[in-house]
Amino acid sequence: MKSEDVLSQHNELRTKCLVYTRVMGYHRPVESFNIGKKGEHKQRTQFSECVK
């Protein structure tokens, strides 16, 4: 089953999720970014530290 099918079946259960990111020392919702900053945010990779 495709993810689009699952999402459309449960559309009434879905709610909006705000994603915040830290920018210049404070947290801002990604929703309020301009189009360039949103694209930059999508290109980021998650950092995971290796424990030795």
Side-chain angles (χ1 to χ4, degrees), residues 30-43:
V30 175
E31 180 181 81
S32 68
F33 288 176
N34 64 33
I35 193 166
K37 196 62 157 173
K38 285 181 185 178
E40 190 179 299
H41 183 263
K42 284 183 182 179
Q43 290 178 346

Side-chain angles (χ1 to χ4, degrees), residues 2-48:
K2 290 185 177 181
S3 62
E4 295 88 24
D5 296 336
V6 173
L7 292 176
S8 64
Q9 287 177 352
H10 301 288
N11 201 26
E12 70 281 350
L13 299 174
R14 297 176 67 190
T15 59
K16 187 174 183 177
C17 176
L18 287 178
V19 177
Y20 281 78
T21 186
R22 186 171 177 264
V23 178
M24 299 296 290
Y26 58 95
H27 293 87
R28 293 193 54 194
V30 175
E31 180 181 81
S32 68
F33 288 176
N34 64 33
I35 193 166
K37 196 62 157 173
K38 285 181 185 178
E40 190 179 299
H41 183 263
K42 284 183 182 179
Q43 290 178 346
R44 292 182 188 173
T45 58
Q46 179 142 359
F47 174 77
S48 57

